[in-house]
């Protein structure tokens, strides 16, 4: 098994707080790996260490067989890697075309290739009508699409996406999924975080679950589906409140307005193991 991403005892402290605790990732080349966890579990911190934004407190990282923290190997890795970070990191006073041109030149791409790929990506992601606007004027969803276009532009072998489906419409979400399927189909590797478990279960080949900074699950979707759904396994690993612990008497006892819809959602007991 050839690995695109491998970590050994990867750890990160922020002062006295251990945000990531001895994480051992093993991400196969050609896989679409979903990295899951509740808010504050350590997902973004892990991605920042993998992509060279944060220095690990301890542990080892290998990307495409190279060490991203080795001075002689880091540039070669970055040339083969695309990233959509948590905070997007766009330049507000550039247009979409200018930003894509800047990104392409950073990857040493020739202007003709940059121009051709930019046109295709702007059209595909429905940004061609706003390409003359500065990115500071973009909505969050538009910024997300531009960040994705920039990550894809150099045709990387390894793609890191931190919450790519957040704030995008259903049509764009489908386009992103199709793009990722093409990437994985040609042998590239995608490492993605998302809170939308339905999408992860639909598109990913492998998943890792992190909780309280620890990697508590790492398996293929095929193996996982033999025993449960992704949602069931996720809730088992990260924990969920029992129905009897959800005590909102003020909500339960509030009178129902005469004009309110009468839909009733079932509340599961803790023994059922999954929310509907």
């Amino acid at each position: 098994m050839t690995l695109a991403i491998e970590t050994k005892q990867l750890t990160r402290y922020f002062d006295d707080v251990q945000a990531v605790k001895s994480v051992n990732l093993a991400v196969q080349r050609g896989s679409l790996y979903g990295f899951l966890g509740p808010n504050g579990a350590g997902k973004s911190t892990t991605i920042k260490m993998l992509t060279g934004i944060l220095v690990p407190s301890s542990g080892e990282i290998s990307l495409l067989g190279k060490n991203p923290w080795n001075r002689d190997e880091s540039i070669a890795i970055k040339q083969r890697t695309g990233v959509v970070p948590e905070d997007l990191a766009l330049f507000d006073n550039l247009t979409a075309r200018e930003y894509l041109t800047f990104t392409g030149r950073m990857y040493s791409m020739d202007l003709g290739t940059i121009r051709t790929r930019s046109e295709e990506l702007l059209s595909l992601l429905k940004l061609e009508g706003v390409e003359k606007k500065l990115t500071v004027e973009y909505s969050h969803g538009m910024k997300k699409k531009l960040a994705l276009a920039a990550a894809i532009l150099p045709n990387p072998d390894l793609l890191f996406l931190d919450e790519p489906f957040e704030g995008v419409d259903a049509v764009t979400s489908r386009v992103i999924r199709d793009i990722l399927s093409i990437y994985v189909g040609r042998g590239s590797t995608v490492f993605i975080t998302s809170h939308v478990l339905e999408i992860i279960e639909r598109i990913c080949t492998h998943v890792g679950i992190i909780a309280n900074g620890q990697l508590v699950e790492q398996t293929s979707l095929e193996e996982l589906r033999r025993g449960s759904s992704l949602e069931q396994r996720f809730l088992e690993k990260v924990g969920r409140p029992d129905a009897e612990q959800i005590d909102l008497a003020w909500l339960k006892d509030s009178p129902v307005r005469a004009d309110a819809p009468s839909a009733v959602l079932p509340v599961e007991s803790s023994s059922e193991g999954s929310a509907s």
Side-chain angles (χ1 to χ4, degrees):
M1 178 178 65
T2 304
L3 298 180
I5 303 170
E6 183 178 18
T7 68
K8 297 180 180 179
Q9 300 297 305
L10 185 63
T11 299
R12 172 69 193 201
Y13 283 90
F14 292 99
D15 295 326
D16 294 331
V17 177
Q18 193 175 13
V20 175
K21 307 172 184 177
S22 301
V23 166
N24 296 317
L25 290 170
V27 180
Q28 297 180 29
R29 293 201 186 196
S31 66
L32 208 167
Y33 188 100
F35 192 50
L36 310 175
N39 290 330
K43 300 188 301 298
S44 292
T45 299
T46 300
I47 280 191
K48 287 176 180 177
M49 287 190 286
L50 294 175
T51 55
I53 297 173
L54 281 177
V55 180
S57 299
S58 61
E60 300 177 11
I61 299 174
S62 174
L63 302 182
L64 303 173
K66 298 181 182 297
N67 179 1
W69 291 102
N70 180 291
R71 189 170 185 178
D72 296 329
E73 299 179 349
S74 62
I75 297 298
I77 293 172
K78 287 179 171 62
Q79 289 289 102
R80 300 172 62 190
T81 303
V83 183
V84 176
E86 180 184 27
D87 57 4
L88 301 182
L90 302 177
F91 294 109
D92 287 344
N93 292 319
L94 295 181
T95 66
R97 291 182 189 276
E98 290 170 341
Y99 182 70
L100 292 178
T101 299
F102 169 79
T103 300
R105 295 303 294 157
M106 290 293 291
Y107 280 86
S108 302
M109 297 170 60
D110 66 84
L111 288 175
T113 302
I114 293 171
R115 190 176 302 110
T116 300
R117 292 184 185 177
S118 295
E119 292 291 343
E120 293 173 346
L121 289 166
L122 290 172
S123 175
L124 185 64
L125 294 168
K126 306 301 182 186
L127 289 172
E128 71 271 34
V130 295
E131 74 275 8
K132 293 183 180 179
K133 289 185 176 181
L134 300 179
T135 57
V136 70
E137 302 176 67
Y138 282 16
S139 67
H140 179 73
M142 292 164 62
K143 290 180 179 180
K144 182 78 72 171
K145 290 192 284 186
L146 179 56
L148 178 64
I152 294 172
L153 183 73
N155 198 17
D157 295 318
L158 179 56
L159 193 58
F160 290 96
L161 306 177
D162 200 349
E163 295 291 345
F165 299 102
E166 181 188 25
V168 300
D169 57 73
V171 174
T172 303
S173 176
R174 180 54 189 264
V175 170
I176 294 172
R177 285 157 44 198
D178 289 345
I179 290 172
L180 298 185
S181 295
I182 293 170
Y183 255 87
V184 172
R186 68 161 201 181
S188 297
T189 308
V190 178
F191 187 92
I192 180 174
T193 73
S194 178
H195 290 297
V196 187
L197 298 185
E198 294 85 355
I199 291 179
I200 293 297
E201 189 163 19
R202 188 178 304 144
I203 68 173
C204 286
T205 60
H206 296 74
V207 294
I209 300 174
I210 188 171
N212 297 317
Q214 295 180 302
L215 190 66
V216 295
E217 179 71 283
Q218 185 168 227
T219 186
S220 70
L221 259 295
E222 181 180 2
E223 181 69 26
L224 186 148
R225 290 192 185 102
R226 293 174 185 169
S228 64
S229 69
L230 177 58
E231 182 186 51
Q232 288 173 327
R233 185 70 65 87
F234 180 82
L235 293 175
E236 288 170 3
K237 294 297 182 178
V238 307
R240 58 164 290 182
D242 295 330
E244 56 267 24
Q245 293 178 339
I246 303 177
D247 185 14
L248 295 176
W250 57 269
L251 185 59
K252 296 176 183 178
D253 299 337
S254 298
V256 178
R257 301 194 319 271
D259 60 344
S262 57
V264 177
L265 299 177
V267 177
E268 297 181 358
S269 67
S270 58
S271 62
E272 291 177 302
S274 175
S276 296

